[in-house]
Amino acid sequence: MKDISKIILTAFLSCTLLLGGTTAMAQTRETAANTAAQSLFTKNDPTDIKNEPELSAISKRFIYNDINKQIKLNTAKQELLTLVVLTANNTPEDIPAHVEGALRAGATPEQIHESIFHCTPYVGLPKVKAALERVGQVMEMLKIKPCAPAGTTTDQTRHEAGLAVQRAIFGAENIDKMNASAPADQKHINDYLSANCFGDYYTRKVLDVKERELITFTAIVTLGGCEPQAKAHAAANISVGNSRQDLLDALTIALPYIGYPRTLNGLSCVNAIAPSK
């Protein structure tokens, strides 16, 4: 009888400890997530969903605990890439909260503006326009002056400047071969890539080429269905000095906003270029 009582007592204590440990783990995740979110947002936490406390809790703990612990990039860069994802996703309603978050994390107004500005040739003007309008509203509310122009080229220099950037990133032989082999009726697209995509955007001040390439990769992966370009820019990131970890960080940051299919497609592109050692 005593042995049976001991077995029952042991089982009870084991269950109690297990439940207590699970509760403590949940509280730890919740506490860590709340602390991280409160450091970024004074109000309007974007994971707070009206009348959806369960989804709000799952999202907050996943983004601000699980993902936060995984990312090696600093918080300011994480918020800047989140703004890129929101822009490419065409979800400007969450832009104001993350502008505040980026500022509180130490990003400058110029970095915020330029990170979104750089998305234009990849996600299209309307999405960038909607995002920058939200940025402007926040900056006006905070009495922050509009950013100064950051362009460095003229109508006369933009093509050659852009072509030089292309060659530096992708290799002169590759770019020259691509341009030389283009059919006559699509040569204008190649010219636009040099003059517009690279000449008008990559040559701008504020962000360096490593930052711009990581933004480009993040925006393309967010769009989905652009795996050839995602793979090319994964390679470009490695070429300019970003690491596999940087690319994985970008994918991990994007994951809650783009879902697993697009994230896994992006991961396949990274693995094809910079496989795990």
Side-chain angles (χ1 to χ4, degrees):
M1 182 68 74
K2 288 183 178 180
D3 290 340
I4 294 175
S5 297
K6 286 181 179 179
I7 292 171
I8 294 172
L9 179 60
T10 301
F12 173 75
L13 289 173
S14 297
C15 289
T16 302
L17 288 171
L18 180 60
L19 289 171
T22 303
T23 301
M25 185 181 293
Q27 289 175 340
T28 300
R29 288 182 71 231
E30 180 181 9
T31 300
N34 285 337
T35 299
Q38 288 167 7
S39 72
L40 294 172
F41 314 113
T42 54
K43 57 181 180 178
N44 299 326
D45 180 341
T47 59
D48 288 339
I49 306 167
K50 187 176 181 180
N51 298 325
E52 290 292 343
E54 239 187 330
L55 183 55
S56 297
I58 290 171
S59 300
K60 182 176 290 186
R61 292 173 190 177
F62 182 53
I63 295 172
Y64 296 110
N65 179 72
D66 303 357
I67 284 179
N68 264 15
K69 291 195 300 186
Q70 185 67 36
I71 301 301
K72 302 297 187 294
L73 294 172
N74 64 44
T75 307
K77 289 184 178 180
Q78 183 173 342
E79 281 297 295
L80 290 173
L81 288 182
T82 300
L83 286 168
V84 169
V85 174
L86 295 173
T87 300
N89 253 354
N90 200 26
T91 48
E93 60 273 13
D94 284 340
I95 292 281
H98 285 283
V99 169
E100 177 188 359
L103 290 170
R104 296 189 77 186
T108 66
E110 289 78 15
Q111 289 172 322
I112 292 169
H113 177 268
E114 205 60 31
S115 294
I116 294 174
F117 197 105
H118 183 80
C119 293
T120 309
Y122 299 101
V123 307
L125 179 59
K127 292 178 180 178
V128 171
K129 177 183 176 182
L132 287 179
E133 285 177 348
R134 297 299 181 100
V135 173
Q137 291 168 5
V138 176
M139 297 302 182
E140 186 175 347
M141 181 183 68
L142 296 176
K143 301 188 185 309
I144 296 174
K145 294 180 180 179
C147 297
T152 63
T153 62
T154 66
D155 285 350
Q156 290 71 39
T157 63
R158 57 197 283 267
H159 184 272
E160 285 304 314
L163 184 59
V165 175
Q166 279 183 293
R167 286 169 168 165
I169 295 174
F170 297 100
E173 184 178 347
N174 292 330
I175 295 300
D176 291 346
K177 183 178 179 181
M178 178 186 73
N179 288 336
S181 63
D185 61 353
Q186 71 177 53
K187 284 187 179 295
H188 65 289
I189 302 294
N190 290 48
D191 288 341
Y192 294 164
L193 275 170
S194 297
N196 179 240
C197 186
F198 288 90
D200 288 340
Y201 294 96
Y202 270 82
T203 60
R204 293 172 61 81
K205 293 180 282 188
V206 181
L207 303 177
D208 62 27
V209 70
K210 290 175 65 176
E211 292 167 321
R212 291 185 182 278
E213 264 306 319
L214 197 56
I215 288 169
T216 297
F217 174 77
T218 304
I220 289 173
V221 168
T222 299
L223 289 175
C226 305
E227 281 65 51
Q229 290 77 21
K231 187 176 177 180
H233 281 281
N237 270 272
I238 299 300
S239 173
V240 300
N242 287 326
S243 66
R244 171 182 167 87
Q245 183 63 54
D246 293 328
L247 294 170
L248 292 179
D249 278 357
L251 286 172
T252 306
I253 290 165
L255 171 56
Y257 308 100
I258 68 175
Y260 286 93
R262 280 184 279 175
T263 301
L264 292 173
N265 286 344
L267 183 58
S268 294
C269 295
V270 172
N271 286 334
I273 298 301
S276 179
K277 295 181 180 178

